Amino acid sequence: MKIAIASTGLGHIYRGVEAWADDTAATLYQKGIDVTLFKGGGKPEHPYEVVVSCYQRDLPKTHRLIKFFSYLSGWRYYMGLPYHVEQFTFALNVIRHLRKGFDIVHTQDPQLAILLQRFKRFGLIKAEVILAHGTEEDNTLLAKIKYLQQIAPFHLDQVREAGIAKDTWFCAPNFIDTRMFKPRSKNKMRELFDLPQDAFIILQAAAIKRHHKRIDFAIDCIAKLKATIDVPLLFVVVGGREDDTDDVIEYGKKMLGDSVRFYVNLPRENMPGLYAASDLFMLTSLMEMLGIVFLEAMACGVPAVGSNHPVQQWVIGSGGDSIDMTDQDAVVNILKRYMTDQTYMADKQKNALAWVKEHFAKDVVIAQYIEKYTGILSGKHNV
């Protein structure tokens, strides 16, 4: 069984999609699976990695190409958006590698999955293609996919209710490496990041923007909380840069002053320590396809607070709280409870780690992946 994990953004973009590809390939390799990780940027850092040339979404030449094709209805052939161009050019260049006997291609890049399926129909590659659905695609696109992995039961239920589900579609979540993300000495981690030892630290890890991640809403909630307590409080926000990041940072400093700290594009290897330095994790987006950051925090023994969307309720489980994330008072009240009720905090800390190990640890989930690969290659449906 020869497996390809493909990620057009890995090496130059920092999102959950890229982290999934990196972790999946590494874990399959550790399990002795013949795996190659094809990534669209950076340099090969491991013996199983191959960098595939592509027009990366942020490059000037990519935007020039889009402008040129805009006169020719470029959206019709994957030239309408920077991410589409990246996937299209990656697909063209990865063919020569995939012709070397690969059986499965597993990716979270939706247009790439569709293109590779088409290449298979044309006889250019023999590999079956699995799209792990992590980018909120609509049903029109999903209906084109033969092998679809939904990463939460709610999403699989939704497509079944819509009447588009196929017997080759299945559910298997993203996973977390509990040997990388694990409890550490809080005092030592705070010293490492130069964080105050006496403060209650609330961490939010998300793209630093207003839309979807709602960092401005989080700032408003923390400002309201700060006005009602007499305890040192620090709100830490870590995430990738977006178009409005500078405006959000300026707003945060205006509202919270020295009680907020931003880390922009912090390398992923620093995240376990930053989680462990925190008392509580919060994500104010109303919906996530899964929310790997919840799992990362909880694996470090940090309780999580998120929205009451069914996916977040499932992911957080007993390791935190799912609340109405549109209600500032509800957010403030639950944060205050964690700050003042030590018994409640201790129970949630213990539950957080146990929940992740039981349901989302990499060995548990990778076993599901391998089972699906085997089922697909054996020709079985209902994989």
Side-chain angles (χ1 to χ4, degrees), residues 3 5 23-33 35 366 370 373:
I3 307 298
I5 306 298
D23 291 344
T24 299
T27 306
L28 289 171
Y29 183 77
Q30 292 163 9
K31 294 290 184 182
I33 301 296
V35 63
I366 282 295
I370 294 173
Y373 298 158

Side-chain angles (χ1 to χ4, degrees), residues 205-226:
I208 304 174
K209 60 181 181 178
R210 292 182 173 89
H211 175 67
H212 181 47
K213 301 302 183 181
R214 304 172 71 239
I215 304 298
D216 53 335
F217 176 83
I219 291 168
D220 291 339
C221 290
I222 297 297
K224 193 169 186 177
L225 172 66
K226 190 170 181 288

Side-chain angles (χ1 to χ4, degrees), residues 73-185:
S73 300
W75 60 270
R76 294 181 182 274
Y77 28 90
Y78 310 101
M79 291 292 180
L81 296 171
Y83 183 32
H84 291 171
V85 172
E86 178 179 288
Q87 292 175 87
F88 180 76
T89 54
F90 183 98
L92 294 179
N93 288 324
V94 80
I95 292 176
R96 63 186 178 89
H97 299 287
L98 296 180
R99 291 176 68 87
K100 299 175 182 178
F102 283 90
D103 301 301
I104 298 281
V105 182
H106 203 170
T107 183
Q108 286 201 16
D109 294 308
Q111 303 295 338
L112 176 64
I114 289 173
L115 285 164
L116 293 180
Q117 279 190 165
R118 190 166 297 170
F119 295 162
K120 178 177 172 56
R121 287 198 299 271
F122 293 159
L124 298 177
I125 62 174
K126 75 166 191 175
E128 298 287 1
V129 182
I130 304 172
L131 173 64
H133 182 209
T135 51
E136 301 181 43
E137 304 304 322
D138 61 30
N139 287 347
T140 302
L141 184 143
L142 296 182
K144 301 175 182 178
I145 301 297
K146 180 178 180 180
Y147 291 107
L148 180 72
Q149 172 197 345
Q150 294 286 22
I151 58 178
F154 173 81
H155 301 312
L156 189 56
D157 290 342
Q158 289 291 95
V159 292
R160 283 172 174 163
E161 290 175 9
I164 65 166
K166 303 173 184 177
D167 60 4
T168 50
W169 292 8
F170 61 93
C171 180
N174 290 350
F175 62 88
I176 191 74
D177 185 347
T178 54
R179 283 165 285 194
M180 175 186 295
F181 293 92
K182 62 183 180 180
R184 291 172 165 83
S185 168

Side-chain angles (χ1 to χ4, degrees), residues 265-295:
N265 291 335
L266 185 74
R268 188 167 182 251
E269 57 265 26
N270 292 331
M271 287 304 301
L274 193 56
Y275 285 120
S278 306
D279 293 292
L280 185 65
F281 179 79
M282 177 174 70
L283 189 64
T284 45
S285 51
L286 300 181
M287 195 279 282
E288 295 286 336
M289 291 300 293
L290 186 120
I292 195 73
V293 288
F294 287 120
L295 303 180

